[in-house]
Amino acid sequence: MKRFLIFSMLLTGLISTSAFANADLAKSKNCMGCHAIDKKLVGPGFKEVAEKYKGQKDAEAKLVQKIIKGGGGVWGSIPMPPNAVTEKEAQELVKWVLSQK
């Protein structure tokens, strides 16, 4: 019965698997080598990124390009290198990062 209830909730969208899928994507693309969810490693924690860009209309597009092309100067002297991701993967990662609270 419990499995049926969980399965039903997944089907109706009450439970999202995207949070898990995007964390897995972040791990598979080595984002976690420099970032953590809630603390600074080499780069800022994802929660800090979400807070900084909260409410900015162009945040998603800006961050997608930073993931793809790299960037620097926003979080300190260590630049973020370009990453081997597709635009779709970068969009998924950005949506996930911005959803962190």
Side-chain angles (χ1 to χ4, degrees), residues 56-99:
Q56 292 185 29
K57 291 181 181 181
D58 64 342
E60 283 189 32
K62 187 185 301 186
L63 292 174
V64 164
Q65 290 308 304
K66 281 197 178 222
I67 290 172
I68 293 170
K69 296 179 180 177
V74 176
W75 298 96
S77 61
I78 300 173
M80 184 168 102
N83 293 276
V85 296
T86 66
E87 187 161 345
K88 183 178 184 231
E89 289 170 332
Q91 289 169 342
E92 288 180 40
L93 289 166
V94 167
K95 286 178 195 255
W96 177 71
V97 167
L98 292 177
S99 74

Side-chain angles (χ1 to χ4, degrees), residues 2 9 12 21 27-28 42 48 81 99:
K2 191 176 191 179
M9 291 172 75
T12 59
K27 289 175 187 171
S28 74
V42 175
E48 189 177 3
S99 74

